[in-house]
Amino acid sequence: MARYQAGRRSLAELWGTAVTEDGYAGHPGRVLHPRPGSLGEMLAGVPRWADRTFIVQGRRRISFAHFLGAVESAAAQLARRGVGAGDRVLLLGYNGPDWILALWAAWRAGAVPVLGNRWWSKSETEHALKLLRPALTFTDLPEPGAHGITGSLAPEDLSAAFDGVPPADLDAVIAGFPAPPEDDPALILFTSGSTGSPKGVVLSHRSVIANQHNLLSRSGRLPGDLPADAPQPVALVCTPLFHVGGVSNLLTNLLTGAKLVLNEGRFDPGRILELIETERVQSFGGVPTMAIRVLEHPDFATRDLSSLRSWPLGGAPVPTSLLETIGRRVPQLERRGLNNTWGMSESGGFLTVAGNRDLAQRPGTVGRPYPAVELRIADPDESGSGEILVRSPTVMLGYLTPDGVPDATVDDDGWLHTGDLGHVDDDGYLYINGRSKDVVIRGGENIACPHVEAALARHPLLVEVAVLGVPHPDLGEELAAVVVHRPGNAPTEDGLREFLTGTLAYFEIPTRWRVQTEELPTLPGEKIDKRTLRARFGTG
């Protein structure tokens, strides 16, 4: 396996902005050129941040120099445990410096890190182990053997690597990274499993690098554009790092010399507000549910949030009312710093982005594609809406199958069928109309749940909303809504129906309701758990 040679190309020669109609993985498509050809090349330039703090979690503060030096030591430890090139290393743990170290140590050893979901049940863990057959499992589970795990490595087994003296030549550390073919597997992560068993998504080296290239190119933060003495950005990450958005966030902050602040434990909006104030956080993102709970927390008005410059949202439809609330309550973000992104595990990262001006002028849009992303609407109806197809070098190789070979989910021309429904306007802006699986068919009428949720979210008394389909003996399905209101002033079902009348068609107005103050149940990452909500309707 070839090794990356540090210094063979300058940063400007590594990270270009030219979009060419080229090809990859045996089919046509757009690529950015020039581009890093390996993870080692992607790291070129990171050593100039050596003295900066890279990771902060609680009392732990780790510099870039200590981190890169620890990667070398941790990779050697993996090799002593029998991990070799192409082997799979399962990471099954909560966010933390040691988790990040395990990820990069696996890459340095030439292995394929697999990002497991720390909230998996025992049966889901066993399913993943049978599918993966990992050479080693890094986990903070108290009793790995009880989950069927053999050959485990605990965080404390790796953490000592941070205690050594950083090597003087960090470029030499980077030069030791393998340089496999771009279309070899680099990373496996899992879908949420909200509608079935989690599926393993296989991403190539090309995918991991191209996603970062897209993001940094669009935001003007390519490594060649950043001087070594530029002020250090500060980013707070509270979404699970084992999701594609978490990995992307991690890599972005590593490549741009940012300080990465990690919360401890599960998502706590009060703790998030405290971290923004004490660490002077400039960027904090997540899914809409997280933003709502931060905004509604009783400490919000008493915390100093003046350092915030960016609040990106994604992972679920973003109600216009939420963006308006953020702009009102965090005034410096009213004109700049808000954005809505769209992507998925299968796409290897983010596909489109919309900024403040886009969101103000085109309510509901998720923006335009990143440079090397192509969009197509399959079989559009009379309104132009249909399934969204995407083609990008970031797209997965396929889902992992028991024989170890990714299945052919992507068609021969490289188009991924996303399962999302949407339309594109004349200026190339994409709008998501719902999931093909998040559509309720009521007596022959198709109802997109996100469309109804967006209308309900504008009600002044509501904090969270979820709309879903439940069985009906005559209509097949009927529409149900679960709404969370602020304490002290509960809306009535009749009042909610009246609020929607005139905005939605009669058949789009929910006929079953739950009005409550209890927060909605969520999956890891704080997406709404509609399967649990649907089961509650079914039992009463």
Side-chain angles (χ1 to χ4, degrees):
M1 182 179 289
R3 295 276 169 179
Y4 160 65
Q5 309 233 337
R8 67 181 180 182
R9 288 198 282 172
S10 69
L11 292 177
E13 292 171 325
L14 278 172
W15 300 92
T17 57
V19 179
T20 61
E21 297 289 341
D22 199 341
Y24 46 86
H27 58 74
R30 296 176 186 168
V31 297
L32 279 160
H33 183 80
R35 64 183 183 275
S38 68
L39 295 173
E41 280 197 330
M42 187 174 72
L43 289 177
V46 172
R48 61 191 163 147
W49 319 122
D51 296 332
R52 291 182 174 184
T53 297
F54 172 38
I55 304 172
V56 173
Q57 187 179 49
R59 294 175 178 266
R60 300 182 72 180
R61 291 179 180 264
I62 299 165
S63 72
F64 279 83
H66 273 92
F67 179 76
L68 289 177
V71 167
E72 191 80 353
S73 174
Q77 187 173 350
L78 295 187
R80 289 194 296 271
R81 298 290 296 268
V83 174
D87 286 340
R88 293 169 184 159
V89 176
L90 174 61
L91 277 60
L92 194 62
Y94 294 123
N95 289 3
D98 306 311
W99 189 101
I100 299 172
L101 178 60
L103 173 72
W104 278 98
W107 276 331
R108 171 62 181 80
V112 180
V114 182
L115 312 187
N117 187 321
R118 183 55 175 80
W119 287 281
W120 275 339
S121 65
K122 180 181 177 181
S123 62
E124 288 172 326
T125 301
E126 292 173 344
H127 164 77
L129 290 169
K130 183 177 180 181
L131 184 65
L132 293 165
R133 299 187 295 275
L136 188 67
T137 298
F138 168 88
T139 183
D140 56 17
L141 284 167
E143 296 182 25
H147 292 76
I149 296 173
T150 57
S152 62
L153 184 70
E156 53 267 26
D157 296 328
L158 277 189
S159 61
F162 287 121
D163 299 332
V165 177
D169 189 353
L170 296 178
D171 284 317
V173 173
I174 293 174
F177 272 77
E182 289 181 288
D183 292 316
D184 276 9
L187 185 68
I188 300 174
L189 44 83
F190 283 80
T191 59
S192 67
S194 59
T195 58
S197 296
K199 295 181 179 180
V201 173
V202 184
L203 302 179
S204 66
H205 288 264
R206 184 195 303 274
S207 170
V208 174
I209 295 167
N211 180 59
Q212 298 310 123
H213 204 162
N214 266 331
L215 299 179
L216 298 177
S217 175
R218 174 64 63 85
S219 62
R221 294 181 294 164
L222 289 174
D225 300 330
L226 301 175
D229 59 353
Q232 185 178 24
V234 183
L236 171 58
V237 174
C238 54
T239 54
L241 292 174
F242 53 73
H243 287 173
V244 68
V247 175
S248 177
N249 214 336
L250 167 63
L251 299 187
T252 292
N253 288 293
L254 176 62
L255 297 179
T256 58
K259 180 168 71 173
L260 183 68
V261 180
L262 301 174
N263 68 310
E264 296 180 282
R266 300 202 67 163
F267 178 76
D268 178 349
R271 177 59 177 157
I272 295 304
L273 288 167
E274 180 183 355
L275 287 172
I276 293 173
E277 178 179 280
T278 57
E279 296 292 343
R280 307 306 296 156
V281 169
Q282 299 167 11
S283 175
F284 159 65
V287 298
T289 307
M290 288 179 170
I292 291 168
R293 292 178 181 176
V294 168
L295 290 165
E296 293 294 325
H297 194 273
D299 290 347
F300 185 89
T302 64
R303 289 295 185 179
D304 178 6
L305 308 183
S306 60
S307 62
L308 272 181
R309 293 292 178 270
S310 175
W311 196 332
L313 295 169
V318 181
T320 303
S321 58
L322 174 57
L323 296 168
E324 292 171 349
T325 301
I326 295 175
R328 185 176 65 254
R329 302 197 68 185
V330 190
Q332 68 268 29
L333 299 180
E334 184 176 9
R335 296 184 181 277
R336 183 178 178 84
L338 291 177
N339 64 63
N340 186 9
T341 59
W342 171 68
M344 59 194 65
S345 300
E346 290 87 342
S347 69
F350 300 112
L351 298 166
T352 66
V353 62
N356 287 60
R357 181 179 298 178
D358 300 326
L359 297 170
Q361 295 177 350
R362 296 174 169 85
T365 186
V366 293
R368 291 182 296 177
Y370 280 101
V373 174
E374 300 171 80
L375 298 178
R376 195 174 76 189
I377 304 299
D379 302 321
D381 60 20
E382 62 277 1
S383 68
S385 180
E387 185 182 10
I388 306 167
L389 275 55
V390 298
R391 184 165 66 184
S392 169
T394 67
V395 165
M396 68 176 181
L397 296 173
Y399 292 117
L400 192 65
T401 56
D403 61 6
V405 179
D407 72 352
T409 305
V410 181
D411 70 26
D412 292 340
D413 289 326
W415 292 98
L416 170 69
H417 293 249
T418 67
D420 278 350
L421 305 175
H423 67 277
V424 178
D425 69 15
D426 293 339
D427 296 317
Y429 286 83
L430 177 67
Y431 297 76
I432 306 296
N433 300 337
R435 286 285 294 171
S436 57
K437 295 180 180 179
D438 201 13
V439 172
V440 174
I441 304 177
R442 177 189 181 278
E445 297 284 359
N446 288 5
I447 307 169
C449 293
H451 177 59
V452 182
E453 289 168 344
L456 267 174
R458 301 194 69 84
H459 194 288
L461 297 180
L462 300 185
V463 177
E464 296 181 86
V465 301
V467 173
L468 55 147
V470 294
H472 188 277
D474 299 320
L475 299 172
E477 288 183 292
E478 64 178 325
L479 206 61
V482 184
V483 299
V484 179
H485 65 88
R486 294 182 174 85
N489 195 1
T492 65
E493 295 181 16
D494 287 343
L496 291 169
R497 280 190 286 267
E498 183 179 352
F499 178 79
L500 296 177
T501 301
T503 301
L504 300 177
Y506 77 92
F507 59 83
E508 294 178 311
I509 297 176
T511 51
R512 296 186 65 183
W513 297 84
R514 284 185 183 272
V515 181
Q516 60 190 49
T517 56
E518 175 191 358
E519 292 181 344
L520 298 180
T522 57
L523 299 163
E526 304 304 316
K527 291 185 180 181
I528 302 301
D529 184 359
K530 290 192 175 182
R531 183 165 62 175
T532 293
L533 292 176
R534 190 172 290 109
R536 291 177 183 176
F537 272 99
T539 58

